[in-house]
Amino acid sequence: YQKLVECLKSPNADMDDVAQIIARDPSMSARLLKVVNSAYFGLAKPVADVARAGTLDELAKGRPMDKILRTPA
């Protein structure tokens, strides 16, 4: 989790960096996919890939990703 926070604060980090960190942690991966596949996003097809989940524009407009992943599932 600490690596994710550091990455999100880095001005040089991109979503690929963030996705790689999340993909290495099964708990964070599951939590992100649960949020992205929730009714809030209303996606036609479920997202199964962490990299795609992290690039959704709506995610960037909502709560910061570190807060989403810190919230109990």
Side-chain angles (χ1 to χ4, degrees), residues 4 10 16-17 21-22 36 54-55 57 64 68 70-71:
L4 174 66
S10 171
D16 289 335
D17 298 328
I21 292 169
I22 294 172
V36 170
T55 60
D57 291 339
I68 289 171
R70 192 174 347 145
T71 306

Side-chain angles (χ1 to χ4, degrees), residues 5-16:
V5 173
E6 290 171 11
C7 183
L8 291 171
K9 289 181 181 179
S10 171
N12 299 326
D14 60 19
M15 287 309 295
D16 289 335

Side-chain angles (χ1 to χ4, degrees), residues 1 6 10 12 25 36-37 43 55 65-66:
Y1 176 78
E6 290 171 11
S10 171
N12 299 326
D25 185 307
V36 170
N37 287 313
L43 301 175
T55 60
M65 190 175 299
D66 63 323

Side-chain angles (χ1 to χ4, degrees), residues 17-40:
D17 298 328
V18 172
Q20 287 177 4
I21 292 169
I22 294 172
R24 285 186 283 224
D25 185 307
S27 177
M28 282 195 285
S29 296
R31 188 163 293 147
L32 176 61
L33 292 172
K34 180 178 179 180
V35 169
V36 170
N37 287 313
S38 70
Y40 175 78

